[in-house]
């Protein structure tokens, strides 16, 4: 076999992880989504399926909330139930996922649903926007810890509009206070953030999963 032929095969194989492996959120479309027809070509991340950098230097949201123009891709109403979905070529045996909201541009994320075990083997997943969620633009995040393969953390973030209760009796400060009681997202496998690491062939069990939890992969 010629060296040119070998190099061609090697070059193609290097492209496979980008094109066919891992997963990405496709509903709602995250910032810089290559699947979103309204994302300018110059901003599309064709490696959206990749995990966060293991150093943690692109936590949260790959840093896209700071260098990408915000454009809401969907609207949610407080108290209502919706579904989200992910797509991709490798579920890595499943794992555990969380769905969360941030009203401070990704500095903090509050968990609204945890899926422990078997995620993302059977999307879509239902979730409910808390009835006390205030109106405004927010980041909706999907985070995932894969069961099989390298110890990684995946995170996609979408800009969404939240329609809450704007009546005089429903003060924003009170709503934000209620939201603050939800747990923060669980973080692992990012060396620059903390020393937590997941274990291969085990589904992470979040220590504080929040009020809405579903189980998969025979976990109860």
């Amino acid at each position: 076999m010629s060296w040119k032929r070998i190099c061609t095969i090697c070059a193609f194989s290097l492209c496979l992880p980008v094109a066919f492996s891992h997963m990405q959120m496709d509903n709602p479309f995250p910032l810089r989504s290559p699947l979103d027809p309204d994302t300018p070509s110059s901003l599309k991340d064709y490696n959206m399926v990749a995990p966060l950098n293991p150093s943690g230097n692109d936590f949260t949201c790959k840093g896209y909330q700071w260098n990408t123009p915000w454009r809401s891709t969907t609207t949610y109403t407080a108290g209502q139930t919706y579904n989200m979905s992910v797509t991709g070529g490798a579920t890595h045996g499943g794992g555990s996922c969380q769905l969360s909201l941030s009203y401070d541009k990704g500095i903090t994320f509050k968990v609204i649903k945890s899926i422990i075990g078997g995620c993302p083997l059977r999307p879509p997943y239902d979730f409910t926007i808390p009835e006390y969620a205030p109106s405004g633009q927010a980041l909706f995040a999907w985070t995932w810890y894969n069961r099989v393969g390298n110890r990684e953390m995946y995170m996609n973030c979408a800009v969404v509009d939240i329609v809450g209760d704007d009546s005089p009796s429903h003060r924003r400060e009170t709503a934000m206070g209620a939201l603050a009681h939800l747990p923060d997202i669980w973080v692992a496998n990012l060396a620059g953030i903390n020393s937590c690491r997941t274990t291969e062939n085990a589904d992470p069990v979040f220590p504080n999963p929040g009020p809405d939890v579903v189980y998969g992969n025979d976990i109860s």
Side-chain angles (χ1 to χ4, degrees):
M1 182 180 292
S2 70
W3 281 109
K4 183 176 181 180
R5 173 68 170 166
I6 292 173
C7 289
T8 300
I9 293 173
C10 290
F12 178 72
S13 67
L14 288 173
C15 291
L16 287 178
V18 175
F20 297 105
S21 65
H22 311 320
M23 307 293 289
Q24 63 182 307
M25 184 165 66
D26 65 348
N27 178 32
F29 289 128
L31 287 161
R32 299 203 177 199
S33 173
L35 306 176
D36 184 354
D38 293 327
T39 297
S41 297
S42 61
L43 292 177
K44 289 187 177 184
D45 175 10
Y46 291 99
N47 201 23
M48 181 66 73
V49 295
L52 295 176
N53 191 300
S55 70
N57 66 3
D58 59 356
F59 175 80
T60 58
C61 305
K62 298 188 176 183
Y64 290 163
Q65 75 273 36
W66 304 115
N67 57 24
T68 308
W70 279 36
R71 175 178 54 83
S72 175
T73 55
T74 194
T75 298
Y76 298 137
T77 299
Q80 299 300 306
T81 298
Y82 302 90
N83 63 67
M84 63 80 63
S85 60
V86 296
T87 187
T91 56
H92 291 286
S96 297
C97 305
Q98 289 187 309
L99 306 179
S100 57
L101 288 175
S102 173
Y103 280 85
D104 57 10
K105 295 188 175 181
I107 296 173
T108 59
F109 278 92
K110 293 299 182 178
V111 176
I112 59 174
K113 181 154 193 157
S114 290
I115 304 128
I116 300 176
C119 182
L121 298 180
R122 296 180 180 85
Y125 293 100
D126 292 337
F127 65 91
T128 300
I129 298 295
E131 61 181 7
Y132 47 79
S135 294
Q137 211 165 51
L139 289 170
F140 174 89
W142 165 68
T143 48
W144 171 42
Y145 299 92
N146 52 304
R147 178 182 175 91
V148 176
N150 296 331
R151 301 298 82 212
E152 298 167 330
M153 178 179 179
Y154 295 78
M155 186 176 199
N156 292 164
C157 302
V159 178
V160 301
D161 287 327
I162 305 292
V163 179
D165 183 356
D166 292 326
S167 64
S169 61
H170 190 82
R171 297 179 59 198
R172 182 179 175 85
E173 294 80 2
T174 302
M176 293 301 293
L179 201 71
H181 285 89
L182 294 174
D184 294 329
I185 57 169
W186 192 68
V187 179
N189 304 328
L190 302 180
I193 304 300
N194 59 40
S195 59
C196 295
R197 287 186 63 81
T198 56
T199 302
E200 188 169 14
N201 295 316
D203 295 309
V205 177
F206 304 120
N208 190 355
D212 187 1
V213 188
V214 295
Y215 298 91
N217 203 27
D218 298 325
I219 295 176
S220 62

